Amino acid sequence: MDKLLETDIINHVKSIYDYMQVYIKNYKPEKWYKSQLEFKIKKDKEINGKAWCDNDIDHIEINSGVIDLYYDYFSKILEQDKNTILKILINKELEDDELKEMSYEGIIYKKGIPIIYDSKLVDDSKAKLLEIFVSRFIVTHEIGHILNGHCKLLASKSQKETHFIPMYYTANSGSMSSQEALDRRTMEMDADAFATTQSMLHVLYLYSDFDRQVKIKMMEPKDIFYWWAFAIRSHFLVCQDRFVDNRFHKKMTHLPSNARWIMILTTALDLLPQYNITDQEKKCFREKIIQGATEAEIKFNNIKFTKYDVFNEIAENKDFETYRSEVNYHWERMKSLLLEYSRLPLFNES
């Protein structure tokens, strides 16, 4: 595993957890108690992880496979883009093995200052940025499970001291009642919304301090929204392809990956008008997010020889609106149950 990515993930988990602790202490002091986070990256190729609470210790564990798979995927995407450009520049047929060892250099001007770049270095930096977006989204989703009270509510209902919430799908979900499964996927929706909200704030921060925080040549500040959407859409495409989770059913603990992405995209676009940015920036960021998500599908389909098209998939599936409305409606019941255990304000909490 790349040490830079591992360090970034560890630091991010700690920083957001510490920030949330300060927020709780200041704005919800009646919910605050001294707790600590134990975060672990487990050496395991399987794409999975889990979150749980054990008295005053909160736990998040993700498998190293989550990090390695996405970094390798994004590197492959960017390498194909590089090869396409090289074929145009060289204007002759070359084998992929030959192209793999090649890169191209150039000069761009920013504010009249010439900047020399090497495509190999730029692509590696982009691949790491995209992996950081995905891994931060995943761990922030798990923090949402913890701080919004999901873990402790489920532990209380199962009458166990701890209760694990797996990152993805559970082998024993068939043993759950339909009501338990609905509770789970409603909380998964809430954790996705939490991760999206925090993730968008992070992207906005990178945009506002781009030169110091990003430092990737051949990228403009506004492009950070494109690459965020490209990364998160790619994450759910990989999940959809790997888990073949297209079917809606009453025992599912997570909505299908394409349904989750549509709800995340809607949340992200709904957040833009709330930020203290110009109308022109809001319009630009919206376009960049949609463009990044669309091109993520195109790249994935080209590499995997698939035909994913989220809008057609959703439009043609009558169950989508039924299940989306169900979790949105069920949220009011879940919110009343979570109030005892949540440490943060819940969505639409009065």
Side-chain angles (χ1 to χ4, degrees):
M1 187 196 322
D2 187 279
K3 293 300 294 183
L4 173 65
L5 294 175
E6 182 179 3
T7 300
D8 178 86
I9 293 166
I10 292 170
N11 290 341
H12 173 68
V13 175
K14 184 179 185 306
S15 66
I16 193 168
Y17 185 84
D18 290 346
Y19 170 80
M20 290 299 175
Q21 284 289 78
V22 173
Y23 178 91
I24 296 164
K25 194 170 186 178
N26 288 335
Y27 296 99
K28 299 280 284 188
E30 72 280 5
K31 294 284 190 175
W32 184 86
Y33 59 86
K34 190 174 183 180
S35 64
Q36 66 183 70
L37 177 69
E38 294 288 338
F39 176 68
K40 178 182 179 181
I41 299 176
K42 180 182 177 183
K43 289 186 177 180
D44 191 320
K45 292 183 179 180
E46 182 63 31
I47 304 177
N48 221 327
K50 56 188 177 183
W52 72 98
C53 300
D54 185 5
N55 295 318
D56 295 341
I57 301 178
D58 301 319
H59 298 265
I60 295 176
E61 178 181 288
I62 65 169
N63 293 348
S64 57
V66 173
I67 301 167
D68 295 337
L69 180 141
Y70 287 106
Y71 176 61
D72 290 345
Y73 172 73
F74 292 132
S75 295
K76 185 175 181 179
I77 286 282
L78 293 165
E79 183 179 344
Q80 286 208 350
D81 288 348
K82 178 208 72 175
N83 291 350
T84 299
I85 293 172
L86 282 172
K87 287 176 182 178
I88 295 171
L89 292 174
I90 297 171
N91 197 28
K92 70 175 182 177
E93 288 297 322
L94 291 172
E95 297 295 327
D96 287 343
D97 288 343
E98 295 178 277
L99 290 168
K100 189 172 185 178
E101 302 303 318
M102 299 173 67
S103 63
Y104 59 89
E105 297 179 352
I107 299 176
I108 58 173
Y109 288 84
K110 287 189 175 181
K111 299 178 180 179
I113 300 173
I115 298 173
I116 300 173
Y117 67 86
D118 182 330
S119 67
K120 187 174 292 185
L121 298 177
V122 170
D123 287 349
D124 186 61
S125 296
K126 280 184 181 177
K128 287 176 179 174
L129 176 67
L130 293 171
E131 163 52 29
I132 284 169
F133 281 148
V134 171
S135 58
R136 286 187 174 193
F137 187 92
I138 289 170
V139 295
T140 307
H141 174 103
E142 301 305 318
I143 290 175
H145 277 315
I146 289 170
L147 296 184
N148 282 0
H150 304 171
C151 295
K152 289 201 169 183
L153 171 63
L154 289 176
S156 72
K157 290 169 75 69
S158 64
Q159 298 182 336
K160 296 178 182 178
E161 289 185 6
T162 61
H163 194 99
F164 302 113
I165 297 185
M167 184 182 299
Y168 295 116
Y169 309 94
T170 57
N172 65 344
S173 63
S175 64
M176 292 182 184
S177 68
S178 296
Q179 183 61 53
E180 289 173 318
L182 176 57
D183 289 349
R184 287 290 191 94
R185 60 180 179 268
T186 302
M187 286 187 281
E188 290 297 334
M189 176 198 67
D190 183 44
D192 277 346
F194 179 86
T196 305
T197 302
Q198 298 303 318
S199 191
M200 285 291 287
L201 287 172
H202 174 239
V203 175
L204 196 63
Y205 167 69
L206 294 180
Y207 169 78
S208 64
D209 197 20
F210 184 85
D211 289 339
R212 287 198 305 168
Q213 298 298 328
V214 181
K215 299 177 182 177
I216 296 180
K217 297 173 182 178
M218 295 182 66
M219 186 185 292
E220 296 294 327
K222 63 186 178 183
D223 294 334
I224 205 73
F225 290 87
Y226 169 96
W227 289 113
W228 174 82
F230 188 100
I232 307 306
R233 177 68 188 116
S234 296
H235 164 52
F236 283 99
L237 281 163
V238 168
C239 291
Q240 181 176 356
D241 198 59
R242 176 164 293 225
F243 298 116
V244 195
D245 63 339
N246 300 319
R247 188 171 67 88
F248 290 85
H249 58 91
K250 292 297 182 182
K251 295 295 185 75
M252 62 184 355
T253 57
H254 300 64
L255 290 171
S257 294
N258 54 10
R260 290 177 68 186
W261 164 248
I262 284 291
M263 295 174 78
I264 287 164
L265 175 63
T266 300
T267 300
L269 297 180
D270 287 347
L271 286 168
L272 288 175
Q274 301 177 28
Y275 298 140
N276 186 24
I277 53 179
T278 67
D279 289 342
Q280 184 177 359
E281 286 174 321
K282 292 171 186 175
K283 182 176 182 292
C284 173
F285 299 163
R286 180 185 179 87
E287 291 172 352
K288 288 289 182 181
I289 288 170
I290 293 171
Q291 182 187 12
T294 302
E295 294 193 16
E297 281 187 0
I298 294 170
K299 303 286 188 186
F300 188 91
N301 288 334
N302 286 341
I303 282 184
K304 298 289 186 177
F305 303 102
T306 50
K307 296 181 179 179
Y308 292 116
D309 182 337
V310 69
F311 292 110
N312 282 340
E313 292 165 21
I314 292 301
E316 293 173 2
N317 194 326
K318 296 178 181 178
D319 286 332
F320 169 67
E321 192 55 49
T322 299
Y323 276 75
R324 178 171 66 170
S325 298
E326 183 183 43
V327 292
N328 283 328
Y329 177 79
H330 191 60
W331 171 242
E332 291 305 315
R333 177 182 180 275
M334 289 307 305
K335 185 171 63 177
S336 66
L337 296 175
L338 288 167
L339 285 172
E340 180 181 349
Y341 305 99
S342 66
R343 286 173 255 177
L344 290 170
L346 298 169
F347 179 68
N348 278 346
E349 183 179 334
S350 56

Short mmCIF file of all heavy atoms in Angstrom, two decimals, residues 187-215:
data_model
loop_
_atom_site.label_atom_id
_atom_site.label_comp_id
_atom_site.label_asym_id
_atom_site.label_seq_id
_atom_site.Cartn_x
_atom_site.Cartn_y
_atom_site.Cartn_z
N MET A 187 -30.39 3.87 7.61
CA MET A 187 -29.19 4.39 8.25
C MET A 187 -28.03 4.48 7.26
O MET A 187 -27.19 5.39 7.37
CB MET A 187 -28.82 3.52 9.46
CG MET A 187 -29.76 3.74 10.64
SD MET A 187 -29.27 2.89 12.16
CE MET A 187 -29.85 1.22 11.78
N GLU A 188 -27.97 3.57 6.30
CA GLU A 188 -26.95 3.67 5.25
C GLU A 188 -27.16 4.94 4.43
O GLU A 188 -26.21 5.62 4.06
CB GLU A 188 -26.98 2.44 4.35
CG GLU A 188 -26.50 1.16 5.00
CD GLU A 188 -25.04 1.22 5.42
OE1 GLU A 188 -24.26 2.00 4.82
OE2 GLU A 188 -24.67 0.50 6.37
N MET A 189 -28.41 5.26 4.13
CA MET A 189 -28.72 6.50 3.42
C MET A 189 -28.24 7.71 4.23
O MET A 189 -27.65 8.65 3.70
CB MET A 189 -30.22 6.61 3.16
CG MET A 189 -30.65 7.92 2.51
SD MET A 189 -32.42 8.28 2.68
CE MET A 189 -32.58 8.54 4.44
N ASP A 190 -28.48 7.66 5.55
CA ASP A 190 -28.06 8.77 6.41
C ASP A 190 -26.53 8.90 6.43
O ASP A 190 -26.01 10.01 6.38
CB ASP A 190 -28.60 8.53 7.82
CG ASP A 190 -28.27 9.67 8.77
OD1 ASP A 190 -28.42 10.84 8.37
OD2 ASP A 190 -27.85 9.39 9.92
N ALA A 191 -25.83 7.77 6.50
CA ALA A 191 -24.37 7.81 6.50
C ALA A 191 -23.83 8.32 5.17
O ALA A 191 -22.83 9.04 5.13
CB ALA A 191 -23.81 6.41 6.81
N ASP A 192 -24.48 7.95 4.07
CA ASP A 192 -24.09 8.49 2.76
C ASP A 192 -24.28 10.01 2.71
O ASP A 192 -23.43 10.74 2.18
CB ASP A 192 -24.92 7.85 1.64
CG ASP A 192 -24.39 6.50 1.19
OD1 ASP A 192 -23.25 6.16 1.55
OD2 ASP A 192 -25.13 5.78 0.49
N ALA A 193 -25.39 10.48 3.25
CA ALA A 193 -25.66 11.93 3.27
C ALA A 193 -24.62 12.66 4.12
O ALA A 193 -24.15 13.74 3.77
CB ALA A 193 -27.07 12.20 3.78
N PHE A 194 -24.27 12.05 5.26
CA PHE A 194 -23.23 12.63 6.13
C PHE A 194 -21.90 12.71 5.39
O PHE A 194 -21.22 13.75 5.40
CB PHE A 194 -23.09 11.78 7.39
CG PHE A 194 -22.04 12.27 8.35
CD1 PHE A 194 -22.34 13.24 9.30
CD2 PHE A 194 -20.75 11.76 8.31
CE1 PHE A 194 -21.37 13.69 10.19
CE2 PHE A 194 -19.78 12.21 9.18
CZ PHE A 194 -20.08 13.17 10.13
N ALA A 195 -21.52 11.61 4.73
CA ALA A 195 -20.25 11.57 4.00
C ALA A 195 -20.25 12.57 2.87
O ALA A 195 -19.24 13.24 2.61
CB ALA A 195 -20.00 10.16 3.47
N THR A 196 -21.36 12.71 2.16
CA THR A 196 -21.45 13.64 1.05
C THR A 196 -21.30 15.08 1.53
O THR A 196 -20.58 15.89 0.93
CB THR A 196 -22.80 13.48 0.31
OG1 THR A 196 -22.95 12.13 -0.10
CG2 THR A 196 -22.86 14.38 -0.92
N THR A 197 -21.98 15.40 2.62
CA THR A 197 -21.91 16.76 3.18
C THR A 197 -20.48 17.11 3.57
O THR A 197 -19.96 18.18 3.22
CB THR A 197 -22.84 16.88 4.39
OG1 THR A 197 -24.18 16.57 3.99
CG2 THR A 197 -22.81 18.29 4.96
N GLN A 198 -19.82 16.22 4.31
CA GLN A 198 -18.46 16.47 4.74
C GLN A 198 -17.49 16.48 3.56
O GLN A 198 -16.54 17.27 3.51
CB GLN A 198 -18.03 15.42 5.76
CG GLN A 198 -18.85 15.41 7.05
CD GLN A 198 -18.83 16.76 7.74
OE1 GLN A 198 -17.79 17.43 7.82
NE2 GLN A 198 -19.98 17.18 8.25
N SER A 199 -17.73 15.60 2.60
CA SER A 199 -16.87 15.50 1.42
C SER A 199 -16.94 16.76 0.58
O SER A 199 -15.92 17.27 0.11
CB SER A 199 -17.30 14.28 0.59
OG SER A 199 -16.36 14.00 -0.41
N MET A 200 -18.14 17.31 0.41
CA MET A 200 -18.29 18.53 -0.36
C MET A 200 -17.62 19.72 0.33
O MET A 200 -17.04 20.59 -0.32
CB MET A 200 -19.77 18.81 -0.60
CG MET A 200 -20.41 17.90 -1.64
SD MET A 200 -19.80 18.23 -3.32
CE MET A 200 -20.62 19.79 -3.65
N LEU A 201 -17.70 19.76 1.65
CA LEU A 201 -17.01 20.81 2.39
C LEU A 201 -15.50 20.71 2.18
O LEU A 201 -14.81 21.72 2.06
CB LEU A 201 -17.34 20.72 3.89
CG LEU A 201 -18.76 21.15 4.29
CD1 LEU A 201 -19.01 20.84 5.76
CD2 LEU A 201 -18.97 22.65 4.03
N HIS A 202 -15.00 19.49 2.13
CA HIS A 202 -13.57 19.27 1.88
C HIS A 202 -13.19 19.74 0.49
O HIS A 202 -12.15 20.41 0.30
CB HIS A 202 -13.25 17.78 2.05
CG HIS A 202 -11.84 17.42 1.68
ND1 HIS A 202 -11.54 16.50 0.71
CD2 HIS A 202 -10.65 17.86 2.15
CE1 HIS A 202 -10.23 16.40 0.60
NE2 HIS A 202 -9.67 17.21 1.46
N VAL A 203 -14.01 19.44 -0.52
CA VAL A 203 -13.73 19.86 -1.89
C VAL A 203 -13.75 21.39 -1.99
O VAL A 203 -12.91 22.00 -2.66
CB VAL A 203 -14.74 19.23 -2.87
CG1 VAL A 203 -14.52 19.76 -4.28
CG2 VAL A 203 -14.61 17.72 -2.86
N LEU A 204 -14.70 22.00 -1.33
CA LEU A 204 -14.80 23.47 -1.34
C LEU A 204 -13.55 24.09 -0.69
O LEU A 204 -13.04 25.11 -1.16
CB LEU A 204 -16.06 23.91 -0.59
CG LEU A 204 -16.51 25.36 -0.82
CD1 LEU A 204 -16.88 25.60 -2.27
CD2 LEU A 204 -17.71 25.69 0.08
N TYR A 205 -13.07 23.45 0.36
CA TYR A 205 -11.84 23.91 1.03
C TYR A 205 -10.65 23.81 0.07
O TYR A 205 -9.83 24.73 -0.03
CB TYR A 205 -11.60 23.09 2.29
CG TYR A 205 -10.22 23.24 2.88
CD1 TYR A 205 -9.82 24.44 3.47
CD2 TYR A 205 -9.32 22.18 2.86
CE1 TYR A 205 -8.55 24.59 4.00
CE2 TYR A 205 -8.06 22.31 3.40
CZ TYR A 205 -7.67 23.52 3.97
OH TYR A 205 -6.42 23.64 4.49
N LEU A 206 -10.54 22.69 -0.64
CA LEU A 206 -9.45 22.51 -1.60
C LEU A 206 -9.53 23.56 -2.71
O LEU A 206 -8.51 24.09 -3.16
CB LEU A 206 -9.50 21.11 -2.21
CG LEU A 206 -9.23 19.94 -1.27
CD1 LEU A 206 -9.31 18.62 -2.04
CD2 LEU A 206 -7.89 20.07 -0.58
N TYR A 207 -10.74 23.87 -3.14
CA TYR A 207 -10.94 24.88 -4.17
C TYR A 207 -10.46 26.26 -3.69
O TYR A 207 -9.79 26.99 -4.42
CB TYR A 207 -12.41 24.96 -4.56
CG TYR A 207 -12.78 26.14 -5.42
CD1 TYR A 207 -12.50 26.16 -6.78
CD2 TYR A 207 -13.41 27.26 -4.85
CE1 TYR A 207 -12.82 27.25 -7.56
CE2 TYR A 207 -13.75 28.35 -5.63
CZ TYR A 207 -13.45 28.35 -6.99
OH TYR A 207 -13.77 29.44 -7.75
N SER A 208 -10.80 26.58 -2.45
CA SER A 208 -10.48 27.92 -1.92
C SER A 208 -8.99 28.09 -1.62
O SER A 208 -8.49 29.22 -1.58
CB SER A 208 -11.30 28.19 -0.66
OG SER A 208 -10.93 27.29 0.37
N ASP A 209 -8.27 26.99 -1.42
CA ASP A 209 -6.84 27.05 -1.11
C ASP A 209 -6.08 26.12 -2.05
O ASP A 209 -5.19 25.37 -1.63
CB ASP A 209 -6.62 26.66 0.36
CG ASP A 209 -5.26 27.10 0.88
OD1 ASP A 209 -4.64 27.99 0.27
OD2 ASP A 209 -4.80 26.52 1.88
N PHE A 210 -6.45 26.16 -3.32
CA PHE A 210 -6.00 25.17 -4.30
C PHE A 210 -4.48 25.10 -4.43
O PHE A 210 -3.90 24.02 -4.41
CB PHE A 210 -6.63 25.49 -5.66
CG PHE A 210 -6.32 24.48 -6.71
CD1 PHE A 210 -7.08 23.32 -6.83
CD2 PHE A 210 -5.27 24.68 -7.60
CE1 PHE A 210 -6.79 22.37 -7.81
CE2 PHE A 210 -4.97 23.74 -8.57
CZ PHE A 210 -5.74 22.59 -8.68
N ASP A 211 -3.84 26.24 -4.58
CA ASP A 211 -2.39 26.25 -4.86
C ASP A 211 -1.59 25.59 -3.75
O ASP A 211 -0.57 24.94 -4.01
CB ASP A 211 -1.90 27.68 -5.08
CG ASP A 211 -2.40 28.26 -6.40
OD1 ASP A 211 -2.76 27.46 -7.28
OD2 ASP A 211 -2.44 29.50 -6.53
N ARG A 212 -2.02 25.75 -2.52
CA ARG A 212 -1.28 25.15 -1.39
C ARG A 212 -1.69 23.72 -1.11
O ARG A 212 -0.89 22.90 -0.69
CB ARG A 212 -1.46 25.99 -0.13
CG ARG A 212 -0.71 27.30 -0.15
CD ARG A 212 -0.56 27.87 1.23
NE ARG A 212 -1.84 28.03 1.92
CZ ARG A 212 -1.95 28.30 3.22
NH1 ARG A 212 -0.88 28.42 3.97
NH2 ARG A 212 -3.15 28.47 3.76
N GLN A 213 -2.98 23.40 -1.33
CA GLN A 213 -3.49 22.10 -0.92
C GLN A 213 -3.40 21.02 -2.00
O GLN A 213 -3.26 19.84 -1.67
CB GLN A 213 -4.96 22.25 -0.49
CG GLN A 213 -5.17 23.17 0.71
CD GLN A 213 -4.48 22.66 1.96
OE1 GLN A 213 -4.35 21.46 2.18
NE2 GLN A 213 -4.03 23.58 2.79
N VAL A 214 -3.46 21.41 -3.27
CA VAL A 214 -3.54 20.40 -4.33
C VAL A 214 -2.21 20.24 -5.06
O VAL A 214 -1.68 19.14 -5.18
CB VAL A 214 -4.67 20.73 -5.32
CG1 VAL A 214 -4.76 19.66 -6.41
CG2 VAL A 214 -6.00 20.82 -4.58
N LYS A 215 -1.68 21.31 -5.59
CA LYS A 215 -0.35 21.29 -6.21
C LYS A 215 -0.23 20.30 -7.36
O LYS A 215 0.78 19.61 -7.50
CB LYS A 215 0.73 20.99 -5.16
CG LYS A 215 0.82 22.01 -4.03
CD LYS A 215 1.85 21.61 -3.01
CE LYS A 215 1.90 22.62 -1.88
NZ LYS A 215 2.86 22.21 -0.82
#
